[in-house]
């Protein structure tokens, strides 16, 4: 798998990241091990988790696989903090105390002495930004963290944070059906040398085409826990995009999943889409996109059908 620089940093990562949001909930430890082996065997290095995934079990499972299944030095571990884990005084948020407590918890659950990429999961209006950023700086100086990033920040939030500390990445929802980050987030990231890690690069599953004629019983769209999450992208506009993706896939002799993933993977500023899977079969479908390079004509057609509106004073991407 091709490797890319993460923003303007010296850190090189695979151009696809393995997401672990389902580990500990929909995906058990044995299946997680199979996924991790398949990902690393394909040349993948960046593995993304968070302290709140399955109440910490996502990190615990990943930690249990390091050493015995995959050598620690073969993967770049990315995790996140800020989201509320419990009702205690340090159980969530972006205060210095809460962040450093979260960091110690993540290190313990992962069973490692440092985290390669530590990310703020969300902006916290209740805490002075200087306090939040001081915790990131301390984490790096202490040796517990190598690089820092953010997630789900708007353009102005990203630019403001980047002016106060060294950030190498921002993780945001980005796909053919969700291109809103192109208005302000991507220009801010480009200006500050920050790499984009798209989450939900398959439009929460919609871009695979599985919902074209209904809702499969075994899909997240049929699950009470995830139906609302998927429904957001089941719109008339999304349906037109899915048809275009399917047509492109038919012409290239590949899957809609591979086309949608290749499109976002090769967008300007993108380093590595974060791809999650409930089982190894799903992951294998995503890994197949590594062999796909979209022709310019198909990229242009997909750009056109999924185009978003830019208005004053937003800048057009260049």
């Amino acid at each position: 798998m091709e490797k890319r620089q993460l923003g303007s940093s010296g850190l090189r990562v695979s151009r696809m990241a393995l997401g672990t949001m389902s580990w500990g909930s929909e995906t058990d430890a044995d299946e997680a091990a199979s996924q991790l082996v398949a990902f690393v065997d394909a040349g993948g290095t960046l593995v993304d988790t968070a302290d709140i995934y399955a109440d910490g079990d996502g990190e615990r499972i990943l930690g249990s696989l390091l050493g015995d299944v995959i050598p620690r030095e073969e993967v770049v571990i990315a995790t996140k903090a800020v989201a509320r884990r419990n009702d205690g005084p340090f159980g969530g948020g972006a205060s210095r105390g809460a962040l450093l407590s979260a960091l110690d918890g993540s290190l313990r659950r992962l069973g490692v002495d440092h985290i390669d990429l530590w990310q703020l999961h969300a902006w916290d209006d209740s805490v002075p930004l200087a306090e939040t950023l001081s915790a990131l700086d301390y984490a790096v100086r202490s040796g517990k963290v190598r690089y820092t990033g953010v997630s789900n920040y708007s353009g102005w939030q990203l630019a403001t944070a980047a002016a106060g500390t060294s950030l190498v990445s921002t993780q945001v929802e980005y796909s053919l059906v969700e291109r809103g980050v192109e208005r302000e987030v991507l220009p801010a990231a480009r200006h500050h040398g920050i790499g984009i890690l798209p989450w939900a690069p398959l439009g929460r599953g919609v871009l695979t085409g599985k919902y074209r004629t209904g809702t499969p019983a075994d899909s997240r769209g049929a699950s009470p826990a995830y139906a609302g999450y998927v429904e957001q992208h089941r719109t008339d506009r999304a349906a037109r995009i899915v048809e275009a993706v399917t047509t492109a896939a038919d012409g290239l002799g590949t899957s809609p999943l591979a086309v949608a993933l290749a499109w976002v993977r090769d967008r300007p500023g993108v380093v590595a889409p974060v791809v999650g899977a409930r089982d190894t079969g799903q992951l294998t479908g995503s890994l197949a996109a590594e062999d796909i390079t979209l022709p310019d004509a198909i990229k242009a057609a997909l750009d056109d059908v999924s185009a978003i509106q830019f208005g004053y004073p937003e800048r057009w991407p260049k």
Side-chain angles (χ1 to χ4, degrees), residues 8-317:
S8 58
S9 77
L11 179 61
R12 287 174 55 81
V13 299
S14 54
R15 67 174 181 174
M16 186 184 301
L18 177 61
T20 64
M21 189 173 70
S22 68
W23 288 16
S25 54
E26 299 174 285
T27 304
D28 64 22
D30 289 340
E31 183 58 43
S34 178
Q35 287 185 21
L36 184 59
V37 169
F39 180 68
V40 173
D41 283 350
T45 61
L46 179 57
V47 183
D48 180 73
T49 188
D51 59 359
I52 60 163
Y53 289 171
D55 295 324
D57 283 346
E59 289 183 330
R60 292 187 188 94
I61 290 174
L62 176 56
S64 73
L65 303 178
L66 299 176
D68 291 338
V69 176
I70 294 295
R72 164 67 178 93
E73 61 271 17
E74 290 190 11
V75 292
V76 175
I77 297 175
T79 192
K80 312 179 198 71
V82 172
R84 183 150 291 280
R85 306 177 309 282
N86 58 61
D87 294 330
F90 304 114
S95 71
R96 181 183 176 90
L99 285 174
L100 296 182
S101 176
L103 175 58
D104 288 341
S106 289
L107 290 168
R108 184 174 60 253
R109 287 186 292 273
L110 289 163
V112 297
D113 61 5
H114 73 274
I115 289 165
D116 300 307
L117 176 62
W118 193 40
Q119 305 157 100
L120 300 177
H121 213 155
W123 179 269
D124 187 348
D125 271 327
S126 69
V127 178
L129 180 60
E131 178 180 342
T132 297
L133 299 183
S134 74
L136 297 187
D137 291 340
Y138 173 80
V140 172
R141 290 197 308 272
S142 71
K144 295 179 179 180
V145 167
R146 297 295 191 254
Y147 297 89
T148 59
V150 296
S151 180
N152 301 310
Y153 272 36
S154 67
W156 75 264
Q157 291 168 346
L158 178 63
T160 304
T165 193
S166 178
L167 300 175
V168 302
S169 66
T170 182
Q171 194 171 141
V172 288
E173 183 173 7
Y174 189 23
S175 72
L176 276 162
V177 294
E178 181 52 86
R179 295 178 61 180
V181 293
E182 293 179 5
R183 296 187 178 96
E184 294 290 346
V185 175
L186 267 60
R190 182 171 60 247
H191 179 77
H192 289 282
I194 294 171
I196 306 295
L197 301 175
W199 61 264
L202 300 176
R204 309 186 184 194
V206 170
L207 288 166
T208 65
K210 68 174 69 175
Y211 299 107
R212 291 174 71 199
T213 59
T215 304
D218 61 347
S219 68
R220 283 184 168 180
S223 163
Y226 287 101
Y229 173 80
V230 175
E231 194 67 25
Q232 180 174 327
H233 292 322
R234 297 184 69 179
T235 63
D236 290 341
R237 172 181 175 273
R240 292 191 295 272
I241 296 170
V242 171
E243 290 306 313
V245 169
T246 302
T247 299
D250 289 343
L252 294 172
T254 188
S255 67
L257 181 157
V259 169
L261 191 54
W263 179 88
V264 72
R265 180 198 66 205
D266 294 332
R267 295 295 289 172
V270 168
V271 176
V274 181
V275 178
R278 283 175 292 172
D279 55 53
T280 307
Q282 286 187 340
L283 177 61
T284 300
S286 295
L287 292 173
E290 180 65 16
D291 298 325
I292 301 297
T293 299
L294 299 181
D296 289 342
I298 287 180
K299 286 192 289 187
L302 294 176
D303 290 351
D304 183 63
V305 74
S306 65
I308 58 173
Q309 295 296 314
F310 286 80
Y312 177 84
E314 298 161 346
R315 295 192 298 146
W316 288 84

